[in-house]
Amino acid sequence: MTSRLRHALTDVFALAYLAVCAGLLVWALVVTALDDSGESMAGVVPLLATAPASLVLVVLPDHVSMIVLAIALGALVNATVIGWCARMLRR
């Protein structure tokens, strides 16, 4: 089980997806921190990029760390699926 998960997460497409999601998360955090009005919607972009798993987890308590956790777990779930699909298509 762990070797299949490792193979799925080390696929080049899965790693590229994780890099894009990490970049979007950092961008959203920086834009939100620099926004003085408190009305930044930048956090929606990484949430939608990691949907549907992140949308299920976004109902966690309202705190920045919970949104980051939802995005991170959503990205990992989606990267696993991407890596598995890429591996199956190569066969």
Side-chain angles (χ1 to χ4, degrees), residues 5 7 30 43 46 62 65 68 70 73 82 84:
L5 187 62
H7 285 299
V30 168
D62 188 28
S65 63
V68 171
L73 288 177
I82 290 169
W84 178 78

Side-chain angles (χ1 to χ4, degrees), residues 1-80:
M1 178 69 173
T2 59
S3 66
R4 288 184 184 180
L5 187 62
R6 182 175 47 89
H7 285 299
L9 286 175
T10 55
D11 186 73
V12 67
F13 295 110
L15 291 174
Y17 174 77
L18 286 173
V20 168
C21 289
L24 286 173
L25 179 61
V26 168
W27 170 78
L29 290 174
V30 168
V31 167
T32 303
L34 295 178
D35 184 25
D36 293 337
S37 67
E39 299 174 356
S40 176
M41 293 293 291
V44 173
V45 175
L47 272 175
L48 291 178
T50 58
S54 64
L55 294 177
V56 171
L57 296 173
V58 81
V59 297
L60 294 172
D62 188 28
H63 193 267
V64 175
S65 63
M66 293 301 154
I67 293 173
V68 171
L69 177 69
I71 292 170
L73 288 177
L76 283 174
V77 168
N78 290 345
T80 304

